[in-house]
Amino acid sequence: MNILLANWTWFPSGGDWTYIENVSKLYESNGHHVVPFSMQDDRNFPSAYQKYFISNINYKALNNQKKISAGFKVLSKSIYSNEAKKYLNNLLDEVEIHLAHLNLIHHYITPSILEVLKQRNIPIIWTLHDYTAICPQSTFISNDKICEACKGGKFYNAILKKCKKNSLLPSLAAATENYIHRINGYYNYVDFFICPSIFSYQKYKEFNFFKDKLHHLYHSYEFIETINASSKFSDEKFVLFVGRLEKIKGVHTLLKAMRNHPNIKLKIIGDGTQEEDLKTYTSQNGMNNVDFLGKKDKFEVWNYIKQSSFLVCPSEWYEVLGFTIVEAMLFGKPVIGADIGAIPETVINDETGLLFKVGNDIDLAAKISLLYNNEPLINKLGENAKKHAGNLFNPRKHFEGLKKLIPAL
């Protein structure tokens, strides 16, 4: 089969790309051919089909113009893409596609391509990596707090609350996008929606989003490459955070907790809008035990995970899954995680790691203290974590799950 794999990037861009990379290998190892459909970008991996990719859209540059015309351009491009439909039609004229597997396409490729796929009677599955279809903000975070006010299709609340960037125009654009996609019935064209965690599956069900088409299926992760990755070891002992430096990732809570542990080294991998604020916080509080390492490629990240005592995941939003947790566990590392979203599905308290009350730096500090100097506990939880992750994210299980939806696979 020729399988169209659509995603907004064709380069490492986060957890979505980790899945794209793994499911591509999975399809190909089972005799299928992956045909990417994405957006032009200098960082993209080379592809024989890149001539069909849509032109690059830089929303950040458009938003910085602060003009009404730029705002309308952002609004129109994020909702409907004639270009994406045109290029996809061109691709489909040249290549026979037997299955379309969509991933993150909102705002860039847009759900408008579903019309094209439906017209050609191509089966469609869509892996839901975020909550955009039911939450205009995509994260259920409004003004730094969990919010479900748009439940029941009440997307106007995103405007009233200024959920997007605490600004009226982006919030208006986001809410309008959700309304138009619902009104035009794009989601009706999808055969199956795949939720990567039980939590996200239940949340979509709570919002009455195509209950009969929703299916829970944990991601595939080919961990042989991960486990066999070479490492440069040192004698330094430290705990690790890997992720975007944004408010929803809870790094500020982690830094507050680390103020209670000046003798424990914390290494932070990642970048984001909060980076300078977080660095300022550590400087003002004399926290010489914190190292900001910036963004690293996956092999460098793996090296740091291998050397660490354990990983900390202090997220403060409804994590859909959390691939960094998965990678740490596959390396036999326990994880201290916040009790929110899908995190408790991987971090099982006192079995594969430790859970702390979300946003509670005192509880987090106590859990760090409990685990850091207890090597027998670290080893025990780490062994359990490796087994648990290996079972949950087994590629064979993932493919069998896909075959139940698409028997022709």
Side-chain angles (χ1 to χ4, degrees), residues 206-223:
E206 285 175 22
F207 275 63
N208 202 30
F209 183 84
F210 295 92
K211 291 181 179 181
D212 57 330
K213 295 183 179 183
L214 285 176
H215 293 267
H216 164 245
L217 183 61
Y218 283 117
H219 283 332
S220 165
Y221 199 107
E222 180 53 71
F223 47 86

Side-chain angles (χ1 to χ4, degrees), residues 402-409:
L402 291 173
K403 284 183 69 175
K404 288 180 180 179
L405 304 179
I406 310 294
L409 283 171

Side-chain angles (χ1 to χ4, degrees), residues 5 24 52 55 111 134 140 210 234 238 264 319 376 390 397:
L5 205 56
S24 294
Y52 299 110
S55 56
I134 54 177
F140 283 118
F210 295 92
S234 69
F238 60 90
I264 298 178
E319 284 279 1
K397 284 187 176 181

Side-chain angles (χ1 to χ4, degrees), residues 324-377:
T324 304
I325 293 176
V326 176
E327 289 175 334
M329 293 173 69
L330 289 173
F331 279 123
K333 299 293 181 179
V335 177
I336 296 179
D339 59 350
I340 190 171
I343 293 175
E345 295 176 44
T346 47
V347 183
I348 301 174
N349 196 47
D350 289 329
E351 289 188 29
T352 65
L354 300 174
L355 289 173
F356 73 96
K357 186 173 176 57
V358 60
N360 190 320
D361 60 285
I362 297 174
D363 191 20
L364 175 54
K367 297 299 167 62
I368 291 172
S369 179
L370 173 64
L371 191 57
Y372 186 74
N373 290 313
N374 193 333
E375 285 299 325
L377 183 58

Side-chain angles (χ1 to χ4, degrees), residues 134-206:
I134 54 177
C135 170
Q137 170 67 338
S138 301
T139 60
F140 283 118
I141 294 291
S142 175
N143 303 303
D144 299 332
K145 295 181 180 179
I146 293 289
C147 171
E148 297 187 8
C150 288
K151 194 170 185 177
K154 300 175 182 177
F155 302 127
Y156 59 83
N157 281 305
I159 305 170
L160 298 177
K161 290 171 163 285
K162 296 182 181 178
C163 293
K164 205 82 172 179
K165 302 178 181 179
N166 196 28
S167 177
L168 183 60
L169 188 59
S171 301
L172 174 63
T176 303
E177 177 182 353
N178 278 57
Y179 275 122
I180 290 179
H181 290 163
R182 285 288 182 95
I183 292 169
N184 286 347
Y186 293 144
Y187 299 127
N188 292 304
Y189 300 146
V190 179
D191 293 285
F192 302 107
F193 293 97
I194 299 174
C195 299
S197 63
I198 295 172
F199 181 88
S200 63
Y201 171 72
Q202 291 175 336
K203 190 57 62 180
Y204 269 95
K205 281 187 70 176
E206 285 175 22

